[in-house]
Amino acid sequence: MHICYLLLKVLKRLEHLDFIASFISNSDLGDSNLFKSIQISLKILSCFSANEQEQLWCLITEPLSILEILIMNTKLEKLGQVLETIRSNIENCEFDENQISIEKIDEMLRNYAEKSLEFRVILQPGPKLNRTPESSKLLQSLDSINFPSGRKYFVIPESVPDKSEWVQNHEVTECMCCMESTFSMFNRRHHCRRCGRVICGSCSLKRMRVPTYEDIQVRVCLDCYEQSHQDYTGASSSRSETSTRSIECDYWLLTDDPNHNQVVREEFSYEYAPSVSLCLAILKHHSKTEEYPKFLLDQCDGMLRLLQPINSDTMREIDYLLVIKMLKSLAIAAKMLSAQCMLQWGSSLADRILSQADLLGLLAERGCLHLIPTCGQTQSRYIDASTLRRLRDKLLEGEQWNLALEVSTKAGLDNTGVFAAWGKSYLKAGSLQLAREKFQRCFDKTAHYETSTELSGSFSSAHLQHSKRSRSFTMAENHPTKNPPLLNEIVHILESNTCVIDAKILKDIKNAKPLSTSTWSLSSSVNLPLHNDPSVCILNKLKNLNNIAAGNYCAISDGSDSVKSLNIAKPHLEPIFYEECVYYLSRYGSHMSLLEFYIKHGDIYECLRYMLENRLSSDVFIEIYMLCLRENLVTILQENMSKIDSTLDVWKDYLKNICRHLEKYSKLHSLYQLQQFMGDFVRAAMTCIKFYQDGAATYSELTSRVDYLHKAQQHLQQELEQEQWVEVASVRKSSMDSQESFEAKGIVNPSLVMKMDSKNVDRHINTIWRQIEVAKFLAECESSETPVLEILPEILPFINEDLPANEVNKVKIPTLFGSYYERVQLAVLAIVCGNNVEDGFGIAFRIIHDYKLSPVKVYCQAGKQLAKTERYTGIAQLVSCIRSSGISDSAVTDMCDEMLILAVQTLTKANATGPQLDGLIKLITDRAAKISAYIETKQLKSAYLLAVKHKRIGDIRRILREAEFLNQPNIKTLCQKILHAHSHSPSHSKD
């Protein structure tokens, strides 16, 4: 065994060494792992040349270190050849700390792949940032201050600084040696091992031995190198050639000395890092396990950290676009490997990283990475939906329209907001066609609006019904019921452009591109060359600035004086902006919003024309009419209605509905004005009567409103006169006939107004005069302190039984325009309210006669009211007036008797007695009625005498029963005797 070990040290031929190692390993004479490692190293060395083998003999027991040398020196093809050679030896090896294995090789590959992606950049400069820091004790000795001014001479420190004393990377941005080279992602920072300064690659090409670094030649700056060798000019070249790398092709070399190897590994770095191609080339030899894609995803995560948003004013050393390309390459590789390794979450994460990289690439191309909103120190490396929305809003604030659109598209956000902001920007600048194109993408397309804007000429009913019918239906159905908020913003922006556009600018625009009408179809606007769309507002402002610069202040077209010179009462809106408002409202807005816009800007004719074309509902017309009422534009509205159709036939349904609406909501003055406009004089008279009655509490108040009745009378007179006038229109009978005939037409539309024959008109005029008469009489009675309103509820009290509870106590003033019972009440009031019955009897009689009231009902109610106030004289006067009224004797007698009986009953209930009551009974003509009156008033003796006198046996029996009830024995005895004698007489009366 001892001999075998000696042979291992002496022999240099690979086949001999392999035989000895195999023999020892198979014989179990020593450490089997050691000899297996030697066998693997021998196979590895077989792939090298003799010179290379000589340099690597020291690593015969460490095959992993040999592989590490190949990786460090990027001998990747050789590495692949070696791994293929030893694959059979390492595939079946179990994982052991002291033995080479696939897991160890993979771990080493990942370690150096990570080094190949090393970024030596600063993301945020430190607070002590100094481009050429010279205050550190490491930079110069005290003697350096004696050198002349200019570039300060550097003096090497006496002692080698420790790593903790090195200048920190984030404290400098320029090379501290040449002071010219600026650090970046590829012009990397290096540290001089002799002085600790941060230097560039060009200033660190020299290497030499430095104490504390063993015998390894390490990187130093030119200053340190020159000052260290200035006394050894002759020997400097030979010393510089002495190196730890003994072979020319390899730079980094490991030995069997652990301390030496530790220093080499600490000093190692890839000169051209970061490099994705180098990383993937190293990892190409990695086994296809889950650790491979996981490592790539971890590196992607690290690169995303480099792309975190930073303030725009900080110094950057990162080439963001290149980092993003590197990120994509790694993510694609990770995705492919995840699929091969069946790592589903890895594929998903790789897709997310790619999506993120695309988005960051867009921002990096435009230099807008700093706009990504920050969410504090613990910000996620992946941008969520809320952050994307805030980023999009920032881009919109910066007018980065295309970028905001691309961000929204890639992030899956709704692009409507981007197009809306874009369009509003164009609109404010005056690029109207470009704004249309952007807003088209925001709205759902409504009706196809394309008509002529020529408004001259009248519109007949037939023309409106036939020429626009099919398209009007389409438009009415497609318009929304309410404006989108964006549309309101658009109209507000356009209406805010109150400046007067220079005429020359408008002319140039028309010559360049015909923005002809507000009803331009959307298809035509899209097909136009939008890049030629001028910005009207900007051009106008520039024109004004030129005028100001030239001192031509009178030519400024943006001032209030220009607006005043146009004699415009309302806010000025240029036709070009007016047409744009109409375009948007007609295409995307509600019918009501467009109509309101027309009215706001005084274009009532177009408003009415639009309503007819689109056959809008009566509710829309009602809203427009009420708006005109509020704006005091009703007269203009009505004039334009007549202009469109003088017969108002096309407005028939609209006018009927607005009349109902005004009447429903008690807007009587507006209704009255509309009725006069329509020529509806009968209804106008009825409205005047409502004015007359509405809210009147006394007849004195009614008398003060008598002018309304005079107006009503005038309207009825107009109705009578209108029947006598006609409109004569010429009519050509045939095309061949040169002579014209004429036809007569009514001045007003009979289907629109209320018609009444002359007989009824005369009757209503008579009612007006009669009402004036009776109201005047009752007002005089009120002035003489007659309680007219206190008497009123007692006349026909059943009228108020059906009234609501809150109106029972309200006294309604009856007029002749009311119901039958109101007229009865008026007739009764006329009789009972005067000082004498004769004063108002004539009025009451005429009311009875004109309105065919029941005289009995009126007189009985009058007698009852007179009896309640015990006006015996008045009752007698009423009897006298009735008898002198010219009615036949029998009818008069019956009416008087019925009235007197009711009066007597009323007085009896009030316990009235005396000769006056007897006098009333004596006025009764009918015997039976008179006897009944005596019985009613308990005057049984008078009743008995009258009944006996006229032999009324039936009445005597009634008197007998009443005498028994009232306990009057004398009358009872007398009645019994008469009845007894009558019963024994051979013939007796039957009455």
Side-chain angles (χ1 to χ4, degrees):
M1 182 66 187
H2 179 69
I3 295 173
C4 291
Y5 275 106
L6 291 175
L7 290 173
L8 287 174
K9 294 180 179 180
V10 175
L11 294 176
K12 297 296 183 179
R13 294 182 63 85
L14 297 181
E15 58 271 18
H16 298 160
L17 290 173
D18 183 57
F19 173 78
I20 298 298
S22 299
F23 174 77
I24 296 174
S25 176
N26 295 330
S27 302
D28 294 332
L29 298 177
D31 187 355
S32 61
N33 290 335
L34 174 62
F35 289 101
K36 285 182 179 178
S37 297
I38 293 174
Q39 285 181 310
I40 294 174
S41 296
L42 293 173
K43 281 195 172 185
I44 294 174
L45 291 174
S46 65
C47 299
F48 291 91
S49 64
N51 291 334
E52 293 172 337
Q53 290 175 4
E54 183 68 24
Q55 297 294 327
L56 299 174
W57 277 118
C58 60
L59 298 175
I60 192 69
T61 58
E62 298 179 17
L64 198 61
S65 296
I66 300 175
L67 297 178
E68 188 174 1
I69 292 174
L70 293 175
I71 298 172
M72 294 171 72
N73 295 281
T74 63
K75 303 295 184 179
L76 301 180
E77 291 184 6
K78 177 74 74 175
L79 175 66
Q81 181 183 353
V82 169
L83 290 176
E84 190 63 29
T85 302
I86 66 173
R87 187 171 302 280
S88 59
N89 295 82
I90 61 176
E91 281 182 347
N92 299 323
C93 292
E94 297 181 357
F95 181 76
D96 188 347
E97 291 292 336
N98 300 320
Q99 186 178 5
I100 187 172
S101 63
I102 293 178
E103 289 79 5
K104 281 191 174 184
I105 295 174
D106 287 347
E107 184 179 358
M108 183 176 64
L109 289 170
R110 292 197 298 273
N111 179 39
Y112 282 94
E114 186 175 1
K115 288 180 179 293
S116 70
L117 295 176
E118 185 179 14
F119 289 83
R120 291 184 181 178
V121 294
I122 58 172
L123 297 179
Q124 292 283 0
K128 297 181 180 180
L129 175 65
N130 187 357
R131 288 185 174 270
T132 56
E134 300 175 355
S135 59
S136 173
K137 66 178 182 179
L138 302 175
L139 303 184
Q140 61 183 20
S141 66
L142 293 174
D143 295 337
S144 65
I145 62 176
N146 297 321
F147 286 90
S149 60
R151 179 185 173 189
K152 295 183 179 180
Y153 188 79
F154 173 78
V155 177
I156 188 172
E158 294 180 0
S159 61
V160 177
D162 188 70
K163 277 191 176 182
S164 60
E165 297 178 318
W166 286 0
V167 178
Q168 298 299 312
N169 284 334
H170 61 266
E171 293 182 0
V172 291
T173 58
E174 293 178 353
C175 175
M176 299 175 67
C177 182
C178 65
M179 297 183 185
E180 295 177 355
S181 179
T182 302
F183 297 121
S184 65
M185 196 167 75
F186 294 101
N187 187 21
R188 302 172 59 189
R189 290 172 171 81
H190 301 280
H191 278 88
C192 174
R193 271 55 177 177
R194 182 63 185 84
C195 65
R197 293 186 301 171
V198 180
I199 54 179
C200 64
S202 300
C203 295
S204 62
L205 296 176
K206 298 294 184 179
R207 282 161 179 77
M208 70 179 188
R209 288 194 179 96
V210 175
T212 72
Y213 285 95
E214 300 287 333
D215 60 344
I216 303 172
Q217 287 196 349
V218 293
R219 188 187 302 269
V220 293
C221 65
L222 293 176
D223 292 337
C224 291
Y225 183 85
E226 291 173 358
Q227 292 185 37
S228 298
H229 292 76
Q230 62 184 353
D231 297 332
Y232 309 98
T233 308
S236 61
S237 60
S238 61
R239 289 190 61 184
S240 64
E241 293 173 359
T242 305
S243 174
T244 57
R245 47 177 186 161
S246 302
I247 52 177
E248 186 177 355
C249 58
D250 290 339
Y251 182 84
W252 302 100
L253 189 63
L254 301 176
T255 67
D256 54 355
D257 182 2
N259 295 328
H260 173 275
N261 292 344
Q262 181 180 356
V263 174
V264 170
R265 290 187 178 103
E266 289 177 355
E267 290 297 308
F268 173 78
S269 65
Y270 286 112
E271 188 67 25
Y272 300 104
S275 172
V276 173
S277 58
L278 177 58
C279 172
L280 295 177
I282 293 172
L283 292 174
K284 178 181 178 181
H285 306 290
H286 195 289
S287 60
K288 298 299 185 291
T289 61
E290 291 185 358
E291 295 299 324
Y292 191 173
K294 285 181 180 178
F295 170 79
L296 292 178
L297 292 172
D298 288 340
Q299 297 309 306
C300 290
D301 187 74
M303 287 189 181
L304 284 175
R305 292 177 185 272
L306 296 175
L307 300 174
Q308 293 296 304
I310 59 176
N311 296 329
S312 59
D313 56 345
T314 59
M315 306 175 67
R316 302 177 190 160
E317 299 181 4
I318 302 173
D319 186 340
Y320 291 108
L321 291 175
L322 184 57
V323 172
I324 290 169
K325 290 180 180 178
M326 296 168 65
L327 176 63
K328 287 183 177 180
S329 299
L330 288 178
I332 292 172
K335 182 177 180 181
M336 295 173 62
L337 287 166
S338 296
Q340 293 176 13
C341 299
M342 305 298 289
L343 196 64
Q344 186 174 0
W345 66 267
S347 298
S348 301
L349 183 57
D351 285 334
R352 185 177 182 185
I353 292 172
L354 287 171
S355 175
Q356 189 90 343
D358 288 339
L359 181 59
L360 293 173
L362 286 175
L363 298 174
E365 287 176 3
R366 311 292 177 83
C368 296
L369 275 176
H370 64 281
L371 294 178
I372 299 177
T374 57
C375 302
Q377 297 180 352
T378 59
Q379 181 186 10
S380 172
R381 288 176 294 281
Y382 299 99
I383 304 175
D384 57 12
S386 62
T387 305
L388 284 171
R389 290 190 185 91
R390 286 183 288 150
L391 170 62
R392 180 193 62 187
D393 295 341
K394 283 190 175 183
L395 292 172
L396 293 179
E397 289 176 7
E399 297 189 355
Q400 296 278 352
W401 311 117
N402 287 309
L403 183 56
L405 184 61
E406 291 183 32
V407 168
S408 295
T409 302
K410 287 189 177 292
L413 301 177
D414 185 11
N415 292 333
T416 302
V418 177
F419 284 115
W422 202 346
K424 285 187 282 187
S425 176
Y426 278 135
L427 207 60
K428 291 175 182 177
S431 299
L432 304 182
Q433 285 304 315
L434 288 169
R436 286 190 186 186
E437 191 269 335
K438 301 307 175 188
F439 287 130
Q440 176 197 359
R441 304 173 185 269
C442 301
F443 292 109
D444 293 328
K445 192 174 180 182
T446 57
H448 184 72
Y449 187 94
E450 186 175 8
T451 61
S452 173
T453 55
E454 186 178 355
L455 302 181
S456 59
S458 61
F459 284 72
S460 65
S461 174
H463 174 75
L464 291 170
Q465 289 176 0
H466 295 293
S467 64
K468 307 292 183 181
R469 179 171 297 176
S470 59
R471 184 173 55 79
S472 297
F473 262 127
T474 304
M475 294 179 69
E477 290 174 359
N478 291 335
H479 276 264
T481 56
K482 186 178 180 181
N483 273 3
L486 175 60
L487 180 58
N488 294 330
E489 290 184 51
I490 293 171
V491 175
H492 176 71
I493 291 171
L494 289 169
E495 289 183 325
S496 299
N497 290 325
T498 56
C499 61
V500 180
I501 305 298
D502 187 84
K504 186 176 184 302
I505 294 176
L506 291 176
K507 183 178 179 181
D508 293 341
I509 292 171
K510 291 180 180 178
N511 293 335
K513 171 172 53 66
L515 189 67
S516 58
T517 66
S518 62
T519 55
W520 209 359
S521 67
L522 188 59
S523 59
S524 63
S525 67
V526 173
N527 293 331
L528 284 173
L530 298 179
H531 58 277
N532 292 328
D533 188 27
S535 299
V536 179
C537 298
I538 295 177
L539 292 175
N540 193 64
K541 289 184 182 296
L542 292 175
K543 179 81 173 178
N544 290 338
L545 290 174
N546 290 334
N547 289 330
I548 292 173
N552 188 13
Y553 302 109
C554 296
I556 299 174
S557 60
D558 199 15
S560 58
D561 294 337
S562 300
V563 177
K564 291 178 182 178
S565 65
L566 296 174
N567 297 323
I568 299 174
K570 293 181 177 289
H572 174 62
L573 185 63
E574 282 287 340
I576 190 172
F577 299 134
Y578 178 88
E579 292 174 358
E580 283 300 296
C581 290
V582 173
Y583 169 83
Y584 286 107
L585 289 171
S586 60
R587 183 170 297 276
Y588 307 116
S590 64
H591 292 297
M592 192 64 202
S593 63
L594 178 57
L595 298 177
E596 288 175 347
F597 175 81
Y598 281 136
I599 291 175
K600 180 179 180 181
H601 294 276
D603 200 351
I604 296 180
Y605 182 91
E606 184 64 22
C607 171
L608 294 171
R609 188 185 69 84
Y610 182 86
M611 262 192 290
L612 289 178
E613 281 189 358
N614 293 276
R615 303 173 67 181
L616 301 184
S617 66
S618 297
D619 293 336
V620 176
F621 180 82
I622 290 173
E623 289 188 46
I624 292 301
Y625 195 92
M626 299 306 294
L627 176 61
C628 290
L629 276 177
R630 291 191 293 271
E631 300 294 331
N632 198 24
L633 298 173
V634 171
T635 304
I636 301 175
L637 177 71
Q638 293 170 353
E639 289 175 357
N640 283 278
M641 290 171 68
S642 297
K643 183 178 179 181
I644 291 175
D645 184 3
S646 59
T647 65
L648 302 180
D649 186 62
V650 295
W651 309 107
K652 178 172 59 179
D653 294 333
Y654 291 144
L655 290 173
K656 287 180 179 179
N657 282 282
I658 186 60
C659 287
R660 294 189 189 103
H661 177 82
L662 294 172
E663 185 172 12
K664 178 181 179 181
Y665 292 97
S666 300
K667 299 187 180 298
L668 298 181
H669 290 281
S670 300
L671 177 62
Y672 177 59
Q673 190 273 340
L674 178 59
Q675 289 168 342
Q676 293 183 85
F677 162 70
M678 294 162 54
D680 194 356
F681 298 117
V682 175
R683 290 195 177 95
M686 294 167 63
T687 305
C688 287
I689 291 171
K690 288 181 181 179
F691 288 142
Y692 173 75
Q693 297 179 102
D694 188 35
T698 63
Y699 284 99
S700 299
E701 189 173 350
L702 281 179
T703 303
S704 66
R705 301 180 181 180
V706 71
D707 289 341
Y708 288 118
L709 293 184
H710 291 315
K711 288 183 180 179
Q713 179 191 356
Q714 292 173 6
H715 290 314
L716 293 175
Q717 291 290 350
Q718 286 176 310
E719 177 65 17
L720 287 176
E721 294 171 1
Q722 195 178 65
E723 292 295 325
Q724 302 172 9
W725 291 88
V726 294
E727 179 183 10
V728 179
S730 62
V731 179
R732 189 179 296 274
K733 290 185 177 180
S734 65
S735 58
M736 301 298 295
D737 191 1
S738 60
Q739 295 184 351
E740 292 183 348
S741 60
F742 297 90
E743 65 175 0
K745 300 192 322 183
I747 293 178
V748 296
N749 192 337
S751 62
L752 186 61
V753 302
M754 183 177 181
K755 303 304 293 181
M756 187 179 293
D757 56 36
S758 57
K759 183 178 180 180
N760 286 325
V761 172
D762 290 335
R763 181 170 57 83
H764 286 297
I765 292 176
N766 181 66
T767 299
I768 291 172
W769 284 114
R770 194 69 63 224
Q771 175 62 31
I772 294 173
E773 181 184 18
V774 68
K776 181 180 180 181
F777 173 76
L778 293 176
E780 292 173 354
C781 294
E782 288 177 344
S783 62
S784 62
E785 299 183 357
T786 300
V788 178
L789 299 182
E790 295 178 8
I791 298 171
L792 184 59
E794 298 177 2
I795 305 172
L796 303 178
F798 63 85
I799 296 177
N800 297 327
E801 290 179 358
D802 297 332
L803 292 177
N806 58 341
E807 297 184 6
V808 171
N809 296 326
K810 295 180 181 179
V811 179
K812 181 183 177 182
I813 305 298
T815 63
L816 293 178
F817 307 113
S819 63
Y820 174 86
Y821 296 108
E822 289 186 33
R823 292 168 178 171
V824 171
Q825 285 178 317
L826 273 178
V828 174
L829 286 174
I831 293 173
V832 303
C833 289
N835 294 328
N836 297 307
V837 172
E838 292 90 347
D839 296 343
F841 183 82
I843 296 174
F845 184 78
R846 288 189 288 275
I847 292 173
I848 294 170
H849 178 266
D850 290 345
Y851 304 105
K852 297 180 175 55
L853 305 181
S854 171
V856 176
K857 183 175 289 187
V858 174
Y859 297 146
C860 287
Q861 288 294 323
K864 182 179 179 180
Q865 294 304 317
L866 292 171
K868 285 182 179 180
T869 56
E870 297 184 359
R871 293 176 60 183
Y872 299 99
T873 304
I875 295 172
Q877 290 176 350
L878 179 58
V879 172
S880 175
C881 290
I882 293 172
R883 288 175 178 171
S884 62
S885 60
I887 305 175
S888 61
D889 293 339
S890 59
V892 169
T893 300
D894 293 339
M895 284 189 292
C896 290
D897 289 348
E898 190 171 347
M899 183 272 294
L900 288 170
I901 291 171
L902 184 59
V904 170
Q905 290 175 350
T906 303
L907 289 168
T908 302
K909 290 179 181 178
N911 298 321
T913 57
Q916 291 179 331
L917 182 59
D918 292 340
L920 292 179
I921 295 174
K922 289 177 181 177
L923 292 175
I924 298 174
T925 304
D926 184 67
R927 296 170 185 170
K930 185 180 290 188
I931 294 171
S932 297
Y934 280 127
I935 294 173
E936 185 75 24
T937 57
K938 298 181 179 56
Q939 300 182 43
L940 300 183
K941 182 179 179 180
S942 299
Y944 170 75
L945 294 174
L946 188 58
V948 171
K949 179 180 180 181
H950 297 287
K951 298 179 181 180
R952 299 184 65 85
I953 301 302
D955 291 331
I956 292 174
R957 291 192 183 96
R958 289 172 55 206
I959 295 168
L960 174 62
R961 288 193 297 272
E962 192 67 24
E964 291 175 349
F965 178 75
L966 296 175
N967 195 17
Q968 294 184 11
N970 295 332
I971 300 300
K972 176 181 178 182
T973 302
L974 292 173
C975 290
Q976 288 175 345
K977 286 181 180 180
I978 295 298
L979 292 173
H980 180 72
H982 177 72
S983 62
H984 289 84
S985 64
S987 59
H988 52 270
S989 176
K990 295 181 179 181
D991 52 342

